[in-house]
């Protein structure tokens, strides 16, 4: 076969249309380069077979095993045939089953003693693990003379097992890789020669050969070290160039003014700022005083006082003659921020109004559900500069909204916000405004370096004085139903002591479409296979049960995303005022809802939530002087990973520790939801959690290279690889990030 000269060659030219189509649709592989970067997940060694005892249920697996026995069974009065084959590998046994016309070929080939590779989805039938209609490849030759040779060839090899799909087995992918492997010679090496030699890395073409067709385990380690470094380095160069470009943009420096709004605000604070708040404020003020835009990520635990730090930054900008906008992901949260900021500022938030301070400014709210008159007034206050601070949802981004002089954008809970939206708001300044991104989801350092790599990071890790401890416990509802009864008694006790409680459920309920969807899914799955797959518990049903049963006599209200914004706000206001005892809600309360009198939270089906989400939810209680209580109700089995996750949440209040656990369990997945789009797909070998040192070292090298040669004029190969990584979407992602 002719050597293909380019990684951009479409796969259908080499592999034929059908295979290329499956690769494109199911594995997102389109070019020769894509396939060469589709690395094996693991390697099988002869004699070290996949342990049949450890097969994961419901997953597509590849096993290498020996046929122990095979028999044909008749059923349906002799009209139906079934071939059952038992495999063994010394660790366990696995049954294969073939039906109907599909039994003839395997019956001839799968004879006792034969060894083969099998691929299929693991299921359970009659309490036994089985693969139904697996595809297989015999690992010994049918010709006796060739048998010894074939076995020897197989014995000496590490067999790559590729991430596969139902339509394409690992060994078919391996054959396709064989067809494109000669192209590895054309790989453009992104590492500058000095860096590659200095760190003793294998050349890239060799690394690709070694990762796909290793002769030894050392080959695999060599290749992985090199390929991980490439991914980390190219990404860090992209981010370093982004940061460098940002330092070249002009911005208006906003310096604190003596005796201005900030001083007046600080003077009336009833408490002193924590050391952490002082330190982070200084970092932000230093950034604001420069003539290029600040890009800072402020991460801090729920309740660590991020809003206070952000507000002081906004007041500084107002003092310096600019305006500040705070963007919240939901209306409930925007209203809440508006309420708490106007309360904290008092008469300083009533600039130009009767009784307002002459040093004050106007703080306006702008959301989609506002009435026309209020909205018109808010828009007028923004364009004239009368309002120094605006708080709103993405309604702030609409074309109609114009600012007098936008100096600072604060984005709350960034990973709920599309980068396009953030960008649209930034374009409303005469020059790019300063940007402060806040998140209460603790982000491990490596993720911050990878995903938010174009932002400088500040961390608030102290809780302000007066925050109470939160006790968390797992309630095993299935094994110990009396524990659940006790949980509702505890809620009642909290209410009797003058406090309030949240009950959180994963679903809203009472929705025909939702129910239909569940029914449809249930039909496909045989009921005996998985009795635990009931729909998640729903707000409306649980609220109903509690009103009639365990919490009869208490005021129980619901809050969820399908309610009208006014209705939501009304419920939230009454809950905050203490008129509602128990609020049964979906995760709409996860971010920013602040009711210091709420001391208890019961999370139903807690195993259906991620670790970080549980931590966020729990942060809603214990916000006042009384201690908080969080009960994680679950029907998950005691030995299951889901229960282990809940026990981890119950065991620590350290969000950074939990975010590490979360990341280890889910890998990169969607730890930050949308924020990772455009970056995650370029990470094939690198795992953000395990490769902290690689990422940190790559970042250092990248910063030095970009500082010396921002346009990478002397590194054309690196420029080429960057261009391929940053296809249009990703370039935009980084631009807007």
């Amino acid at each position: 076969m002719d050597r293909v000269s380019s990684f951009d060659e479409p796969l259908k030219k080499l592999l034929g249309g059908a295979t290329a189509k499956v690769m494109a649709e199911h594995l997102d592989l389109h070019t020769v380069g894509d396939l060469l970067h589709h690395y094996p997940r693991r390697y099988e060694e002869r004699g070290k077979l996949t342990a049949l005892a450890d097969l994961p249920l419901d997953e597509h697996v590849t096993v290498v095993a020996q046929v122990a026995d095979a028999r044909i069974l008749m059923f349906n009065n002799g009209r139906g045939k079934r071939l059952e084959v038992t495999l063994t590998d010394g660790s366990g046994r696995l049954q294969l089953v073939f039906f109907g016309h599909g039994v003839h070929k395997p019956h001839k080939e799968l004879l006792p003693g034969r060894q083969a590779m099998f691929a299929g989805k693991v299921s359970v039938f009659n309490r036994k693990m089985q693969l139904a209609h697996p595809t297989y490849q015999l690992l010994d030759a049918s010709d006796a003379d060739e048998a010894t040779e074939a076995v020897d060839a197989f014995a000496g090899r590490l067999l790559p097992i590729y991430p596969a799909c139902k339509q394409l087995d690992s060994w078919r992918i391996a054959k396709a890789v064989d067809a494109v492997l000669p192209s590895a010679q054309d790989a453009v090496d992104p590492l500058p020669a000095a860096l590659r030699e200095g760190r003793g890395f294998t050349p890239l073409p060799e690394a690709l050969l070694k990762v796909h067709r290793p002769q030894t385990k050392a080959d695999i380690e060599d290749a992985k070290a090199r390929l991980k470094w490439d991914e980390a380095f190219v990404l860090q160069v992209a981010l370093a160039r982004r940061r460098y470009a940002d330092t070249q943009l002009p911005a208006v420096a906003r310096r604190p003014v003596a005796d201005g709004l900030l001083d007046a605000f600080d003077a009336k604070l009833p408490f002193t700022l924590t050391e952490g708040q002082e330190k982070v404020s200084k970092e932000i003020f230093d950034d604001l005083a420069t003539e290029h835009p600040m890009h800072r990520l402020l991460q801090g635990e729920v309740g660590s006082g991020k809003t206070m730090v952000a507000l002081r930054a906004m007041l500084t900008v107002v003092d310096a003659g600019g305006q500040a906008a705070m963007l919240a992901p939901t209306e409930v949260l925007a209203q809440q921020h508006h309420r708490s900021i106007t309360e904290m500022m008092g008469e300083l938030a009533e600039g130009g109004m009767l009784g307002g301070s002459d040093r004050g400014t106007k703080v306006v709210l702008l959301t989609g559900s506002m009435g026309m008159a209020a909205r018109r007034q808010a828009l007028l206050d923004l364009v004239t500069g009368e309002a120094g601070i605006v708080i709103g949802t993405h309604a702030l981004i609409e074309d109609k909204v114009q600012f007098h002089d936008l100096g600072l954008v604060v984005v709350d809970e960034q990973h709920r916000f599309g980068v396009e939206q953030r960008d649209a708001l930034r374009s409303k300044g005469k020059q790019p405004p300063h940007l402060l991104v806040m998140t209460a989801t603790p982000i491990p350092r490596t993720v911050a370096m990878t995903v938010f790599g174009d932002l400088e990071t500040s961390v608030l890790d102290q809780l302000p004085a007066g925050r109470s401890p939160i006790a968390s416990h797992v309630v095993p509802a299935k094994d110990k139903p009396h524990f659940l009864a006790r949980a509702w008694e505890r809620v009642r006790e909290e209410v009797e002591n003058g406090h309030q409680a949240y009950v959180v459920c994963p679903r809203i309920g009472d929705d025909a479409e939702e129910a239909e969807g569940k029914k449809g899914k249930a039909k496909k799955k045989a009921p005996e296979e998985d009795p635990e797959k009931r729909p998640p518990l729903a707000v409306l049903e649980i609220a109903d049960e509690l009103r009639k049963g365990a919490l009869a006599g208490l005021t129980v209200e619901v809050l969820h995303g399908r309610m009208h914004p006014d209705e939501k706000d009304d419920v939230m206001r009454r809950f905050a005022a203490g008129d509602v005892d128990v609020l049964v809600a979906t995760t709409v309360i996860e971010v920013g809802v602040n009711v210091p009198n709420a001391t208890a939270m019961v999370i139903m089906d807690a195993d259906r939530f991620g670790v970080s989400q549980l931590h966020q939810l729990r942060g809603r209680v214990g916000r006042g002087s009384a201690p908080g209580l969080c009960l994680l109700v679950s029907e998950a089995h005691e030995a299951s990973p889901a229960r282990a996750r809940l026990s981890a949440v119950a065991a620590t209040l350290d969000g950074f520790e939990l975010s590490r656990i979360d990341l280890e369990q889910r890998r990169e997945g969607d730890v930050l939801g949308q924020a990772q789009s455009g970056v995650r797909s370029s990470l094939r070998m690198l795992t953000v959690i395990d490769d902290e040192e690689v990422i940190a070292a790559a970042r250092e090298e990248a910063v030095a290279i970009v500082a010396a040669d921002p346009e990478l004029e002397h590194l054309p190969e690196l420029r080429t690889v960057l261009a391929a990584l940053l296809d249009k979407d990703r370039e935009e992602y980084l631009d807007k990030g």
Side-chain angles (χ1 to χ4, degrees), residues 202-243:
T202 306
L204 184 56
E206 195 184 315
L208 288 168
L209 282 172
K210 281 180 170 178
V211 80
H212 288 293
R213 298 293 173 261
Q215 300 299 309
T216 62
K217 287 186 177 173
D219 281 356
I220 300 171
E221 291 316 306
D222 265 9
K224 280 187 170 176
R226 169 66 216 252
L227 296 168
K228 277 182 178 183
W229 181 271
D230 280 16
E231 284 176 12
F233 177 71
V234 172
L235 185 56
Q236 291 303 333
V237 168
L239 293 165
R241 290 187 73 194
R242 219 25 280 145
R243 287 193 302 274

Side-chain angles (χ1 to χ4, degrees), residues 328-335 367 392-394 416-417 568 588 591:
T330 65
E331 296 216 353
V332 169
L333 196 50
Q335 288 158 346
T367 63
T393 54
H394 43 260
R416 293 162 176 271
F417 234 93
K568 273 194 279 200
V588 290
V591 177

Side-chain angles (χ1 to χ4, degrees), residues 239-291:
L239 293 165
R241 290 187 73 194
R242 219 25 280 145
R243 287 193 302 274
Y244 179 83
D246 285 338
T247 63
Q248 306 306 300
L249 288 173
V252 180
R254 311 281 178 174
R255 297 184 182 86
V257 172
D259 287 335
L261 196 49
L262 179 64
D263 285 352
F265 175 75
D266 283 350
K268 67 194 280 300
L269 275 181
F271 51 82
T272 52
L273 298 175
T274 65
E275 236 173 275
Q277 285 174 319
E278 291 278 13
K279 179 176 133 291
V280 170
S281 288
K282 185 184 181 315
E283 290 171 350
I284 292 170
F285 290 161
D286 288 350
D287 281 358
L288 289 173
T290 60
E291 292 186 346

Side-chain angles (χ1 to χ4, degrees), residues 513-533:
E513 196 178 314
E514 205 170 48
E516 269 310 302
K518 301 284 175 215
K519 260 189 238 154
K521 283 187 188 138
K523 266 183 209 153
K524 283 179 207 162
K525 206 163 194 92
E528 69 270 18
E529 274 185 48
D530 201 350
E532 290 181 15
K533 281 278 188 270

Side-chain angles (χ1 to χ4, degrees), residues 15 65 163 195 254 296-297 339 351 410 434 459 493 525 540 568 577 580 634 660 685:
L15 305 178
L195 193 161
R254 311 281 178 174
R296 192 165 280 281
L297 172 69
R339 237 189 332 263
V410 178
H434 298 282
V459 178
E493 286 163 16
K525 206 163 194 92
L540 301 174
K568 273 194 279 200
V580 174
S634 169
R660 258 198 107 75
M685 185 65 83

Side-chain angles (χ1 to χ4, degrees), residues 19 29 43 119 192 214 221 358 406 439 458 471 474 477 562 564 595 636 641 643 652 665:
T19 306
L29 305 175
Y43 302 84
E221 291 316 306
D358 50 0
L406 180 60
T439 178
S458 296
V474 179
R562 280 209 310 268
H564 186 275
V595 181
R643 272 287 283 281
T652 178
Q665 295 209 335

